[in-house]
Amino acid sequence: MRFWVTESGNAAPVRRVALVGGVVVLAGCADEQSTLRPESDAARSVATMWWVMLVASAIVVGVVTLLVLLTLLKRRGRRDRVDRTDSPGATTAVLVSGAIVPAVVLVALFVYVLASLGATSQPSGGTAFPIEVVGKQWFWAVRYPEQHIATANEIHVPVGVPVEVVAVTDDVIHSFWVPRLNRKIDMIPGRRNRLRIEADRAGVYRGQCAEFCGLQHANMAFYVIAQSRRDFERWVEREQQTPQRGAPGERVFVDTGCGGCHTIRGVSNGTIGPDLTHVGSRTTLAAGTIPNRKGYLGGWILDPQHVKPGNKMPGLPLSGRDLQELLDYLESLR
C-alpha cells in the first residue's frame, strides 16, 4: 500500500481528502437538478422544509457543542476528585435540556411537516389534463391521452397550468422525480400513482429516476419543458401530425427491422423501444445520455451497447449509404 509522506507528516493526505470532499460538495450545488431552486409551489414547500430542518438542526448541534466546550473549559486543569453529588438545579437542567426542549422542537417540526404535506400530496381534484408516464428499462414513454400524442423522454407542459402525471411502470420499480417542480413519486408494478406538477415560468427542468432499477439507472433521465400556452399548442399541433412517407431512409428503417421495436406513426407500431414519430425534434437520445445530433445518433444506431451497456437495442451493421439515409430520415422526423 502506498502512503503519502511529506515533511509535514499527514498534511498531504488531509489536504487531498479535503480537496476531494470540497469537489463533491460543490458538485451538489449544480442548479440543473437542484431542490434549492424551486419553480413551483410544491417545490418551494419542499425547499422551505429543507431549510427549516437545516436551521433547526444547526441550532441544536450548535447549542450542544457549546455546552460541551463550556464543560471542558470549566474542568480544564482540575485534577481533584470529582464531586458526584447533585448540584443545585442539576436535575432541572437535565430534565429541561434532555426532555422538554427536544420534545418541543420535535413536536414543532412534526406539526410544520404535516402543514406542508398538502402542497405535495397526491392530487384529488380535476386538473387541466393528464399525462401518462411509463418507466421502462431504461427510458420514459410519455403519452397524452386527450391529445392523442406519444413521445419519449421529454414532457412538454404549459406554464401555469396544473398537470397530473399518472406514473406507471412496465417492468421493475422506478421513481419519477423533477426536483425543481415537486417531490418524487414511485412507479410500482400494478399501481397508478399520481403527481401534480405546475411550472411557474418557461424553462427546461431535468428529471431523473430516483429508484435503483438496474445497470443503467443513472442514465435514465428526462426533461420537463415548460412553454407558454401558445408555444405548447404549437407543439401539440406538430406532434399530432403524421410524418410524410416515401423517404429513402424509411425503407432502411423497415427493412432492418427497426419497426419491430419502435413506432413511427403510419410506418410501424413497435412498443418495445421509444416512440420515434418526432424523434428529430428531441434534445437528447437514450434518455438524456447523449445529445440528439447526427454523429451521436449514428454511433447509437451502430453500437448502442457501447453508449449504454445493457440496453435492449441491438447494433445494426449498416452500410455507409444505408446509415446516412436512415440518419437523414430520423432527423427529418420533426
Side-chain angles (χ1 to χ4, degrees):
M1 182 179 293
R2 181 180 178 183
F3 294 89
W4 294 293
V5 180
T6 64
E7 295 180 357
S8 57
N10 294 328
V14 171
R15 283 198 298 268
R16 291 171 184 264
V17 171
L19 179 61
V20 172
V23 170
V24 171
V25 171
L26 291 176
C29 297
D31 59 2
E32 186 182 28
Q33 191 172 307
S34 173
T35 56
L36 302 183
R37 288 198 61 198
E39 295 293 347
S40 70
D41 288 340
R44 271 189 292 275
S45 177
V46 174
T48 302
M49 185 187 307
W50 186 89
W51 282 112
V52 169
M53 293 288 191
L54 176 65
V55 172
S57 301
I59 292 174
V60 172
V61 171
V63 170
V64 171
T65 303
L66 179 61
L67 292 175
V68 171
L69 292 175
L70 289 176
T71 302
L72 293 176
L73 291 174
K74 185 177 179 181
R75 294 180 179 274
R76 187 179 181 182
R78 294 177 56 182
R79 298 180 180 277
D80 54 331
R81 186 170 179 271
V82 178
D83 184 5
R84 300 188 181 277
T85 60
D86 290 342
S87 59
T91 302
T92 302
V94 171
L95 181 63
V96 171
S97 61
I100 296 178
V101 172
V104 171
V105 172
L106 291 175
V107 170
L109 291 177
F110 179 71
V111 172
Y112 173 74
V113 169
L114 288 180
S116 304
L117 290 179
T120 60
S121 60
Q122 180 169 299
S124 57
T127 57
F129 59 88
I131 297 176
E132 184 176 83
V133 180
V134 183
K136 300 187 179 186
Q137 292 177 310
W138 289 274
F139 71 95
W140 309 84
V142 183
R143 301 167 186 153
Y144 294 71
E146 295 183 359
Q147 288 77 19
H148 305 291
I149 292 173
T151 183
N153 302 319
E154 291 186 3
I155 304 171
H156 289 248
V157 299
V159 172
V161 175
V163 175
E164 181 180 289
V165 175
V166 182
V168 297
T169 177
D170 198 42
D171 38 55
V172 300
I173 297 176
H174 300 282
S175 189
F176 179 93
W177 188 35
V178 190
R180 297 178 65 184
L181 296 181
N182 208 331
R183 64 181 175 88
K184 76 180 186 73
I185 184 172
D186 287 339
M187 298 167 154
I188 302 173
R191 296 183 62 88
R192 296 172 67 85
N193 292 332
R194 289 172 168 78
L195 180 74
R196 181 174 296 166
I197 59 175
E198 181 178 350
D200 290 340
R201 64 185 181 89
V204 179
Y205 306 106
R206 190 179 191 275
Q208 175 70 39
C209 179
E211 184 75 27
F212 181 73
C213 55
L215 178 63
Q216 287 297 326
H217 161 70
N219 288 326
M220 189 173 171
F222 63 95
Y223 288 91
V224 175
I225 302 174
Q227 304 170 289
S228 67
R229 298 196 185 191
R230 185 175 182 180
D231 289 342
F232 176 74
E233 291 171 358
R234 290 175 178 172
W235 176 82
V236 170
E237 291 178 0
R238 290 196 301 269
E239 289 291 314
Q240 290 175 336
Q241 295 175 1
T242 299
Q244 293 183 351
R245 301 292 306 277
E250 181 183 313
R251 174 195 58 79
V252 179
F253 181 86
V254 173
D255 291 347
T256 55
C258 299
C261 294
H262 298 281
T263 289
I264 293 180
R265 195 177 308 128
V267 177
S268 62
N269 294 296
T271 59
I272 297 175
D275 188 295
L276 301 181
T277 302
H278 294 285
V279 65
S281 63
R282 297 172 196 163
T283 58
T284 66
L285 300 168
T289 306
I290 53 177
N292 188 5
R293 296 200 290 267
K294 182 175 286 188
Y296 286 97
L297 179 57
W300 172 252
I301 291 173
L302 294 175
D303 190 5
Q305 298 303 317
H306 176 75
V307 178
K308 196 169 183 176
N311 79 87
K312 297 179 181 180
M313 180 172 168
L316 299 179
L318 299 175
S319 66
R321 179 179 178 180
D322 285 348
L323 177 61
Q324 188 60 50
E325 289 181 351
L326 181 58
L327 291 176
D328 291 340
Y329 172 60
L330 294 176
E331 281 200 323
S332 71
L333 299 177
R334 297 178 181 274

